[in-house]
Amino acid sequence: MSIIQQHTQASLSDAWRTINIDALDPDSSQNFDTSTLHPPLPEIGEADVRQLNAQVRQLLRGGDAEGALRGCLESPVYNGSDSAKEAHMQTVVEVLQSIKASEMTPMLQRIYGSEGGSELLDVLMKYLYKGMSGGSSGGGQKTPTRALTPQATGFSQIGSRPLASNENTGAAMSVLLSWHEKVVDVAGLGSIERVMTDWRRV
């Protein structure tokens, strides 16, 4: 008789599944506060964001596009309300849309070559991904849901299409994709990896 046949149904019970192994491991997250792994981030209120955005727009009106971009990236809103994050995101997109395509690469190279430039481009990459994921309306508003109206012909008629809204959204997405390509060219693929593994979210 094989050793497997000698086991009874009782000996093959799954009681071992009820043991919490993590509680017995001294290195388990259950035995220490994981929040201590993350340094505290300063909370940024909506008033602070409005003041920062006003300064950025002033630089933009003065023709200092690089200074405006640096101002956005040096003060990312990590710890703040959703409205504060959204307001800052819209300012970032506004700055990116104001910069000519021929100025993208030289500007990114200057930022990357400066002190802390790598981190600034990582912050920019975070905002690019947020914008592309729909985290901001960018240049246009999201298309509202429109109800279908039944007609006597048996077909359904839909309301007028907001072409301007769709065009603005498409233009903003095109700008974000162009910046994404330029950032990867300057900072390399490592920027994508660092953004994906960073616990801080804009």
Side-chain angles (χ1 to χ4, degrees):
M1 181 179 295
S2 67
I3 187 171
I4 296 178
Q5 293 174 336
Q6 293 177 4
H7 284 287
T8 63
Q9 186 65 26
S11 64
L12 293 177
S13 68
D14 58 354
W16 60 274
R17 296 178 182 270
T18 62
I19 301 175
N20 188 353
I21 301 299
D22 291 332
L24 304 177
D25 185 2
D27 296 329
S28 171
S29 60
Q30 293 188 359
N31 295 320
F32 64 89
D33 185 9
T34 55
S35 63
T36 59
L37 298 176
H38 299 160
L41 294 173
E43 184 173 358
I44 301 179
E46 294 184 39
D48 298 327
V49 171
R50 284 195 298 268
Q51 182 179 0
L52 174 62
N53 292 347
Q55 295 173 354
V56 168
R57 289 188 174 95
Q58 184 176 359
L59 290 172
L60 205 56
R61 287 192 298 269
D64 187 5
E66 182 174 343
L69 182 58
R70 283 179 177 272
C72 291
L73 302 181
E74 289 174 351
S75 304
V77 183
Y78 287 131
N79 186 11
S81 63
D82 291 340
S83 58
K85 290 185 175 184
E86 179 69 16
H88 194 62
M89 176 69 203
Q90 291 178 357
T91 303
V92 172
V93 173
E94 180 182 339
V95 171
L96 295 179
Q97 289 178 325
S98 69
I99 299 174
K100 297 179 181 179
S102 59
E103 300 174 352
M104 289 181 181
T105 299
M107 185 178 297
L108 290 175
Q109 289 174 341
R110 289 193 298 270
I111 294 176
Y112 186 70
S114 63
E115 184 178 356
S118 176
E119 184 175 352
L120 292 181
L121 293 194
D122 289 350
V123 173
L124 175 56
M125 186 68 81
K126 291 178 184 179
Y127 279 110
L128 294 177
Y129 279 130
K130 181 175 182 178
M132 289 188 288
S133 68
S136 172
S137 56
Q141 300 297 325
K142 295 181 181 178
T143 304
T145 303
R146 300 178 299 281
L148 298 175
T149 306
Q151 301 296 311
T153 59
F155 296 97
S156 297
Q157 182 175 356
I158 193 168
S160 60
R161 297 172 61 188
L163 295 178
S165 174
N166 291 338
E167 290 173 0
N168 289 337
T169 302
M173 184 63 69
S174 176
V175 170
L176 296 176
L177 288 172
S178 298
W179 276 100
H180 182 273
E181 178 185 2
K182 302 300 183 183
V183 172
V184 172
D185 288 343
V186 174
L189 295 175
S191 178
I192 298 177
E193 298 175 3
R194 290 189 294 273
V195 169
M196 293 299 180
T197 57
D198 195 344
W199 59 274
R200 298 170 298 177
R201 294 290 181 263
V202 295

